[in-house]
Amino acid sequence: MLRTGEQERYANYGTLECNIASNRMPAHHVRTKCRLCSSTDLLPVLSLTSTPPANAFVPPELVKHTETAYPLTVSFCQSCTHAQLVDVICAEALFSHYVYVSGTSSVMVSHLREYAEEALKYAEKVPSVRSCPLFVCEFGSNDGTLLKVFQEFGCNVLGVDPAQNLSQRANEQGIPTWCGFFNSEMAERIKTEHGVADLICANHVCAHIDDFEEVLKGIKILLSTTGIWIFEVGYLLDVYTKNLFDTIYHEHLDFHTVLPIRRILPEYGLRLYMARRVNIQGGALRCYVQHDDSSPLPRENLAQLAEMERLEAAAGLHNSITFFQWEARISQLGLELLSLLTGLQNAGKKIVGYGAPAKATTLLYHFGITEKILSFIVDDNPLKQGLYTPGLHIPVLPVERIYDPNVAYVLILAWNFSDSILSKHQRFTEAGGRFIVPLPNLKII
Ligand SMILES: [Zn+2]
């Protein structure tokens, strides 16, 4: 079970602020080398407005406190083409207590079941891996939702997660989980205690890890000779083509494409065996990695990887100019939205926001939408209600408040859920209210 709502919702913010205040760790550092290839040839290409950590919602008693805003600039590696943030907020602060719980999202639970089934089907094709029971290790294992599925299939499992609240919860539910970060030292410890892993999984966690080199070293140590490492990350091709620029915030350090991943893995004795696009969280990339010294890549895998890289190149993602143009496109949208909102406000219309996801922090800051424009934001999640948005301190209230008599316009900040929000709140539009959807194209409904 979750801790009480009060503890849960304050903890993330509290951990960060306390650790920084007590100087137990540097709050932030700036990388000078590419996270994948270590080149120093990093070019800042997309500058978004500095923000505090996007998920650090503020409890009422701390609302007078001013949070630090950190730069939010995407840099492009001119050596390997990898896009990344170089401003890094300390991971212990962001992840030692985590409020996102995989098991609470039915979409994520069924996604992870499909993931496990695919992984096992794939593993069955490798004869020497079939020596059941398989040992499956996952880092960033959250509450153990994925490992539970593997357990049901008869596998031995071990999770690794830095969030104390989540690893404790997983252990209580019978999913053995070590609390910590995955790196070469952790890999050695696991190998000593459990032996090598047939499958290593990592879902939407690699882009959160500043020291990716350590992860790759750890994989090399822990993966059995015929084992498979499957990792899933947000796909820059989707982020760019769908203009999901607000998914750029400090927790997401990397914006992955196939080309630089394929090129870097052999340096660590690994190789990208297969990759495919997955329709989750706006669009993701699922990569299959093996040791470099196994048999040659099948021709169809080579062709498929080449086709993905061709699509990335066609979108311009291997070229820094694309990012400068993207920045201009985002700024133009911001100007249009801000002028719409201030026009409505000057006409005496009350505007509120809908949805307080982490990405709203990026959008609000970058477009200059403050509490002077949005009277409040509503959110379906009771854990966020009663808190204030990071930095801007816009109050987050229950959803029913959009039916307050004076509310004329609702700006949908969780715009990827626009369809379900609109259908759930037809009553609002029928009563004369209007919704504003900011992305991917600005429209009023
Ligand atoms: Zn690089």
Side-chain angles (χ1 to χ4, degrees), residues 89-366:
I89 298 179
C90 67
E92 285 82 357
L94 288 180
F95 303 117
S96 62
H97 187 103
Y98 207 47
V99 290
Y100 178 80
V101 182
S102 304
T104 57
S105 155
S106 58
V107 174
M108 187 51 81
V109 170
S110 60
H111 171 73
L112 292 175
R113 177 163 287 277
E114 175 273 329
Y115 177 108
E117 285 168 0
E118 183 180 294
L120 289 171
K121 209 164 73 186
Y122 186 78
E124 276 172 12
K125 290 182 189 162
V126 185
S128 45
V129 174
R130 237 182 291 157
S131 55
C132 270
L134 298 183
F135 175 40
V136 182
C137 185
E138 182 187 16
F139 59 94
S141 53
N142 200 275
D143 64 344
T145 301
L146 174 65
L147 290 177
K148 189 158 179 273
V149 183
F150 280 111
Q151 240 181 9
E152 286 166 14
F153 282 110
C155 302
N156 291 327
V157 302
L158 178 69
V160 177
D161 198 284
Q164 288 170 8
N165 58 324
L166 294 178
S167 50
Q168 186 187 337
R169 185 176 167 162
N171 279 310
E172 283 166 3
Q173 293 180 349
I175 315 292
T177 303
W178 290 4
C179 185
F181 290 96
F182 184 79
N183 50 31
S184 56
E185 190 199 330
M186 175 70 84
E188 290 285 7
R189 278 176 50 207
I190 296 171
K191 189 175 165 182
T192 306
E193 197 158 317
H194 293 271
V196 288
D198 302 299
L199 271 178
I200 302 177
C201 302
N203 286 301
H204 299 270
V205 63
C206 289
H208 296 189
I209 299 172
D210 185 35
D211 198 345
F212 195 57
E213 188 180 353
E214 266 296 311
V215 169
L216 297 177
K217 286 179 183 167
I219 296 293
K220 188 67 190 172
I221 292 165
L222 185 60
L223 195 64
S224 73
T225 48
T226 52
I228 308 156
W229 173 35
I230 306 175
F231 71 93
E232 197 170 291
V233 284
Y235 192 25
L236 179 60
L237 185 58
D238 288 297
V239 174
Y240 172 69
T241 52
K242 298 174 191 169
N243 202 16
L244 311 175
F245 84 91
D246 51 357
T247 60
I248 300 171
Y249 50 89
H250 295 102
E251 277 181 27
H252 297 156
L253 295 167
D254 294 292
F255 304 93
H256 285 290
T257 49
V258 172
L259 177 74
I261 294 174
R262 182 179 61 76
R263 282 186 181 163
I264 196 63
L265 289 174
E267 305 226 353
Y268 294 86
L270 301 166
R271 71 168 174 189
L272 185 60
Y273 185 81
M274 187 171 82
R276 74 175 186 87
R277 298 175 79 168
V278 184
N279 187 21
I280 186 90
Q281 296 201 344
L285 179 65
R286 187 178 293 175
C287 297
Y288 290 72
V289 175
Q290 293 182 328
H291 287 289
D292 200 16
D293 47 10
S294 35
S295 53
L297 276 192
R299 237 193 340 210
E300 65 268 24
N301 291 19
L302 277 172
Q304 185 223 19
L305 290 172
E307 172 60 12
M308 293 181 83
E309 289 177 18
R310 190 191 65 75
L311 288 174
E312 292 168 3
L317 296 178
H318 303 156
N319 190 332
S320 60
I321 291 170
T322 305
F323 294 83
F324 291 112
Q325 291 165 343
W326 188 16
E327 184 181 83
R329 186 153 56 98
I330 295 165
S331 299
Q332 181 58 32
L333 174 71
L335 287 174
E336 286 169 27
L337 178 61
L338 196 59
S339 120
L340 169 69
L341 296 176
T342 49
L344 290 171
Q345 198 178 33
N346 292 339
K349 307 290 187 190
K350 181 166 177 168
I351 313 163
V352 303
Y354 197 121
K359 64 185 178 177
T361 302
T362 299
L363 189 140
L364 294 172
Y365 263 87
H366 193 59

Side-chain angles (χ1 to χ4, degrees), residues 49 51 245-246 330 333-342 345 351-354 359-377 389-394 410-413 415 436-439 442:
T49 306
T51 73
F245 84 91
D246 51 357
I330 295 165
L333 174 71
L335 287 174
E336 286 169 27
L337 178 61
L338 196 59
S339 120
L340 169 69
L341 296 176
T342 49
Q345 198 178 33
I351 313 163
V352 303
Y354 197 121
K359 64 185 178 177
T361 302
T362 299
L363 189 140
L364 294 172
Y365 263 87
H366 193 59
F367 288 171
I369 301 168
T370 66
E371 78 291 351
K372 294 193 177 80
I373 294 173
L374 294 185
S375 307
F376 55 81
I377 290 173
T389 62
L392 299 171
H393 297 171
I394 302 173
V410 173
L411 173 66
I412 302 183
L413 296 162
W415 55 270
I436 301 168
V437 182
L439 285 161
L442 179 58

Side-chain angles (χ1 to χ4, degrees), residues 34-39 42 77 79-82 84:
C34 171
R35 200 169 281 111
L36 285 191
C37 77
S38 297
S39 164
L42 294 174
C77 175
S79 176
C80 79
T81 79
H82 181 52
Q84 59 206 287

